[in-house]
Amino acid sequence: MKCRSLKIAFCFLLGLMPGIMAACGPSAREALHPSAGKLFRQRWWNHYVRALEAAERQVYDAALTDLELAVQQREHDQRMARTYGMHFIDYFPHRELGIIYWLRGNLACAREELESSIRQYPTAKALFYLDEVRKALLHQKGVRGGPPQLYLLLPETPFWTRDDPVCIGGRAVDPNYVSALSVDGAPVHMPGSQQEVTFEHCLALPQGAHRVDVKAANLLGLSTQRPVDVHVDRQGPFIVVERISDRGAEIVIDGTIFDDAGVTRFEVNQTPLPVISADQSSFSFRMSRRQPALRIEAEDRLGNVTTAHAEPADWLSALQRPMIVAVLKTTGLFERRDASAPVIRIEEWTETQTVYMDRVVVSGSVRDDRQVADLTINGTAVLPRPGAMAFFSHFIALQPGSNTITVRAVDAAGNPAQQQFCIERKLPAAMLFSERLRLTLMPFADNDATPSSDAAFQDNFVHQMVQRRRFQIVEREHLDLILQEHKINRTHLIDPATALQIGRLSAAHVFAAGSLVKTRMGIEAISRIVDTETGEVLETTDAYAEDNGLSGLKALAETLALKIHREFPLANGTVLQKQGGMIATDLGPDEIRAQRRLIVYREIPVHFPGSGRRAGSDFEVLGHARVVQCQERVSKAELQDDCSPDIGVMHKVITQ
């Protein structure tokens, strides 16, 4: 309120300014306004542009004067503010006022102006300097607080899970503002510092034990770090049969079940047997020699299951005397030697199998006349203890294309056995990279036109956009061919109309154009994603850095690319209703926005030929749609010309 009162008094003086200017003459006017020699029509954009020039030359009184006059004519900060005709500028007078007040030490007014700018239109630059103001206020008040408090939402410690991905969430609280937050070294997105941050960050963690560090820092530079022990277990228990005893009409089978998460259930032919909920649990059961095939099932506390089938011959073979071969040793003595290799049996999988999943479970068994000493799956040792028989359930992540699975067993005598089979992982049609948005990257306009810095930013930005594989990026060579064919100079691509024309010629769905705004204090990168069909700006993102050097430009490009990808998530939904050429889906505003494109598809379940167990789903693309309206939990989309008439309720959609 005090800052606002000062402004009112200041604006009163501004009202007297024309008379003062006339009295002072041209020389005084030029000293106050550095760009007085330019065409000046006393409009808000004239005052704003002249204020930026004055601030860059550190003539802050003149800059404040023009910014206040600009605000009198146009109050709100915004991007693409229309000046006259089809001319637009990015207009942020409150932000620039806040920065000047900060530079001059007026922290209260600086905070008020920057907060006003963020309320009207948040930008990375305003958020950056608001943090600087808050930091200065804390030091000015002599605040000596502690580090942030971290509260993690974990069901247990250590944290056991079978989830994929593994998500870790919680809250970070600090009256001195949480300014940075990271999980396992990856920064958590925060729109400026906050006194309380609720977060959830998901990690792609493989099978096994992991130490994940969660770290929060505040504006005073103090930090808190909480280590989280995460145990990822997506495999069923390992069942080892250690002894098979002959009891006349019966056979007694003794063994141990192993599972790091703890065994909770063990059944033989659907009859529960007692187990100890620990990482090892012994078992013993009897079976008749005439017993038909056994079904053995073990489950751990996370819900991972191992299911095994054993034929009577498997048990009886272990009771027979092993084959003995006489071997003459160099000492002249004879020694009995085991000459038979272990027997490996793989459940369900054929020599070649096609699936539509990114991970599978390989189940099976291995037995030996004497003892199985070692078992590996794709080179990973999995046998917890030697035994006569072992039943396993092993989790394997698949790469797109052909995946060779090798199961190898060795008995106590060193006899090896091996089985190999191939799993072909196919990507459903709607998930193929070729179905994603095709994006053309245009050169960024630069108010400084420094070739070295332009190239450093552009190269890093293209690299970051390609590496994340969210968009199909039009190759630079293809873009150059189009420019050559239509005799368009690359420097003309910064023109919006030319960029739109090239975007359409390159058959892109969208193009990214933007600008680099350099000042003596830092550099701002602004990107606009434009739909080539409608010419509408789908998203505007920005990033800001104080460092104009190569490392700063690299970080700027990475931040901007990350923000763009965050605004275009791959979200899945379901068709709730179809009426004429419109569909309603369950994608809300948190997942989709107006004018975004959808792929509509039918899910086709795929099953293993033997057991009928599901092997994933293929997707048949039925067409495309464009979102026209987003409500709280529902979005409406217009079907495009390529859509099948078969589209209906319960079909699926995914953002293109």
Side-chain angles (χ1 to χ4, degrees):
M1 184 62 70
K2 181 180 178 181
C3 188
R4 180 60 61 187
S5 300
L6 290 173
K7 285 185 186 176
I8 294 172
F10 184 63
C11 289
F12 174 75
L13 293 175
L14 290 177
L16 303 177
M17 193 63 70
I20 296 172
M21 291 299 175
C24 291
S27 60
R29 184 182 179 91
E30 289 175 8
L32 185 60
H33 301 296
S35 60
K38 297 181 181 179
L39 183 62
F40 196 84
R41 301 183 183 275
Q42 303 291 335
R43 304 300 299 271
W44 59 266
W45 61 87
N46 299 133
H47 289 294
Y48 180 69
V49 171
R50 193 166 65 177
L52 296 183
E53 294 174 356
E56 186 67 10
R57 297 168 60 177
Q58 302 181 57
V59 186
Y60 296 131
D61 287 336
L64 287 172
T65 299
D66 270 325
L67 287 171
E68 290 290 357
L69 288 169
V71 169
Q72 280 187 314
Q73 295 184 37
R74 189 183 186 107
E75 168 68 21
H76 292 290
D77 289 18
Q78 71 171 91
R79 293 224 182 265
M80 300 291 287
R82 185 172 177 270
T83 56
Y84 62 93
M86 294 301 293
H87 297 271
F88 301 85
I89 64 169
D90 287 343
Y91 178 66
F92 292 95
H94 290 288
R95 182 184 72 186
E96 300 305 320
L97 279 168
I99 294 172
I100 293 173
Y101 281 135
W102 170 69
L103 288 169
R104 303 187 75 173
N106 189 342
L107 300 180
C109 287
R111 180 174 61 185
E112 181 180 327
E113 293 293 348
L114 289 167
E115 287 177 346
S116 176
S117 176
I118 292 166
R119 281 194 302 271
Q120 294 168 14
Y121 195 107
T123 62
K125 186 176 181 180
L127 290 165
F128 177 87
Y129 284 106
L130 180 59
D131 280 353
E132 294 297 306
V133 170
R134 287 170 172 167
K135 192 186 305 180
L137 284 168
L138 291 172
H139 287 299
Q140 186 183 75
K141 295 175 182 177
V143 174
R144 297 184 179 276
Q149 298 294 313
L150 267 175
Y151 304 96
L152 301 181
L153 300 177
L154 299 174
E156 60 182 355
T157 304
F159 177 36
W160 285 83
T161 182
R162 59 178 292 188
D163 294 343
D164 189 13
V166 177
C167 296
I168 296 175
R171 288 187 307 125
V173 180
D174 195 316
N176 298 324
Y177 294 93
V178 179
S179 59
L181 189 63
S182 66
V183 178
D184 202 32
V188 175
H189 172 64
M190 289 175 50
S193 62
Q194 302 170 45
Q195 291 181 320
E196 182 172 336
V197 181
T198 301
F199 66 93
E200 183 179 66
H201 189 77
C202 297
L203 303 167
L205 298 180
Q207 179 84 11
H210 306 271
R211 171 64 63 90
V212 175
D213 289 324
V214 182
K215 186 176 181 180
N218 64 16
L219 288 176
L220 295 175
L222 303 174
S223 63
T224 299
Q225 182 168 304
R226 288 275 303 276
V228 180
D229 290 321
V230 181
H231 293 265
V232 179
D233 183 7
R234 303 185 183 105
Q235 297 177 171
F238 207 104
I239 306 169
V240 177
V241 175
E242 295 155 346
R243 186 170 56 257
I244 303 175
S245 307
D246 188 356
R247 294 291 188 268
E250 291 184 324
I251 298 172
V252 178
I253 299 166
D254 298 292
T256 305
I257 309 170
F258 297 86
D259 194 283
D260 290 338
V263 182
T264 57
R265 182 174 63 87
F266 181 57
E267 293 181 357
V268 177
N269 283 351
Q270 298 183 335
T271 300
L273 296 179
V275 292
I276 301 172
S277 184
D279 57 357
Q280 296 183 32
S281 181
S282 299
F283 66 86
S284 179
F285 64 89
R286 296 170 179 266
M287 61 173 286
S288 169
R289 284 178 174 270
R290 297 183 178 85
Q291 174 77 40
L294 290 182
R295 174 186 169 88
I296 301 174
E297 193 166 276
E299 182 178 3
D300 67 17
R301 68 184 180 91
L302 299 178
N304 300 305
V305 177
T306 295
T307 301
H309 298 84
E311 300 294 332
D314 297 337
W315 310 105
L316 295 174
S317 64
L319 294 174
Q320 298 172 0
R321 294 177 61 84
M323 183 182 297
I324 304 299
V325 178
V327 179
L328 180 63
K329 300 187 74 175
T330 56
T331 58
L333 301 176
F334 287 87
E335 181 184 75
R336 292 180 176 179
R337 176 170 171 258
D338 180 4
S340 60
V343 177
I344 301 171
R345 177 185 294 163
I346 305 298
E347 303 278 353
E348 292 187 322
W349 296 100
T350 57
E351 186 175 343
T352 301
Q353 181 76 54
T354 299
V355 300
Y356 291 83
M357 301 183 291
D358 59 358
R359 54 191 183 274
V360 296
V361 174
V362 175
S363 300
S365 64
V366 58
R367 60 180 173 84
D368 188 72
D369 291 342
R370 288 190 173 180
Q371 189 180 68
V372 180
D374 186 43
L375 177 65
T376 60
I377 301 177
N378 281 359
T380 301
V382 297
L383 186 67
R385 181 184 296 173
M389 295 182 69
F391 301 92
F392 57 86
S393 179
H394 190 72
F395 179 92
I396 296 177
L398 301 178
Q399 298 298 321
S402 180
N403 296 262
T404 300
I405 312 300
T406 303
V407 181
R408 188 174 188 274
V410 180
D411 66 14
N415 299 306
Q418 180 173 294
Q419 274 202 30
Q420 271 191 343
F421 57 98
C422 181
I423 301 177
E424 183 77 16
R425 179 193 167 193
K426 287 190 175 181
L427 293 175
M431 298 296 293
L432 291 174
F433 187 64
S434 59
E435 285 289 337
R436 295 185 184 174
L437 281 177
R438 187 172 169 86
L439 170 70
T440 299
L441 294 174
M442 302 296 180
F444 276 44
D446 188 346
N447 70 331
D448 185 40
T450 306
S452 60
S453 63
D454 286 356
F457 174 82
Q458 297 281 359
D459 290 345
N460 279 293
F461 182 60
V462 171
H463 172 72
Q464 290 292 331
M465 293 294 289
V466 171
Q467 189 179 46
R468 296 176 189 278
R469 293 184 60 80
R470 170 59 183 91
F471 303 96
Q472 297 181 74
I473 305 298
V474 175
E475 295 180 359
R476 187 172 296 182
E477 292 78 7
H478 179 59
L479 185 61
D480 288 339
L481 285 175
I482 295 173
L483 296 176
Q484 184 178 358
E485 181 181 348
H486 292 270
K487 296 181 173 58
I488 299 174
N489 193 302
R490 179 174 277 274
T491 58
H492 294 160
L493 291 180
I494 62 175
D495 174 62
T498 305
L500 183 60
Q501 177 191 2
I502 296 301
R504 289 169 177 167
L505 289 172
S506 63
H509 299 109
V510 293
F511 70 86
S515 56
L516 296 175
V517 181
K518 300 174 186 174
T519 68
R520 65 181 185 84
M521 296 177 62
I523 180 169
E524 184 181 20
I526 304 126
S527 171
R528 294 179 176 89
I529 306 297
V530 182
D531 191 300
T532 58
E533 184 178 325
T534 64
E536 183 174 340
V537 177
L538 299 180
E539 192 63 47
T540 300
T541 52
D542 65 346
Y544 182 79
E546 281 188 308
D547 183 4
N548 283 351
L550 292 179
S551 60
L553 291 169
K554 182 178 180 180
L556 191 73
E558 183 176 356
T559 301
L560 189 64
L562 180 63
K563 285 187 172 183
I564 291 173
H565 282 76
R566 190 180 292 117
E567 296 299 331
F568 287 85
L570 288 174
N572 293 278
T574 302
V575 176
L576 303 177
Q577 185 183 49
K578 180 189 177 186
Q579 189 171 7
M582 302 290 292
I583 59 172
T585 80
D586 60 355
L587 293 177
D590 291 338
E591 301 152 310
I592 195 72
R593 295 181 186 175
Q595 295 304 312
R596 302 294 172 87
R597 300 168 187 248
L598 297 173
I599 301 171
V600 188
Y601 64 93
R602 176 191 289 119
E603 193 171 6
I604 305 172
V606 178
H607 299 88
F608 288 99
S611 65
R613 191 167 62 86
R614 190 159 178 171
S617 296
D618 191 10
F619 299 160
E620 178 189 358
V621 176
L622 300 176
H624 298 78
R626 184 185 289 274
V627 177
V628 296
Q629 185 181 5
C630 285
Q631 299 175 1
E632 185 177 355
R633 296 181 181 177
V634 178
S635 57
K636 294 182 179 179
E638 183 179 9
L639 297 174
Q640 303 298 289
D641 294 338
D642 65 344
C643 285
S644 165
D646 296 335
I647 291 176
V649 175
M650 298 310 292
H651 281 151
K652 303 296 183 180
V653 295
I654 185 172
T655 48
Q656 189 174 8

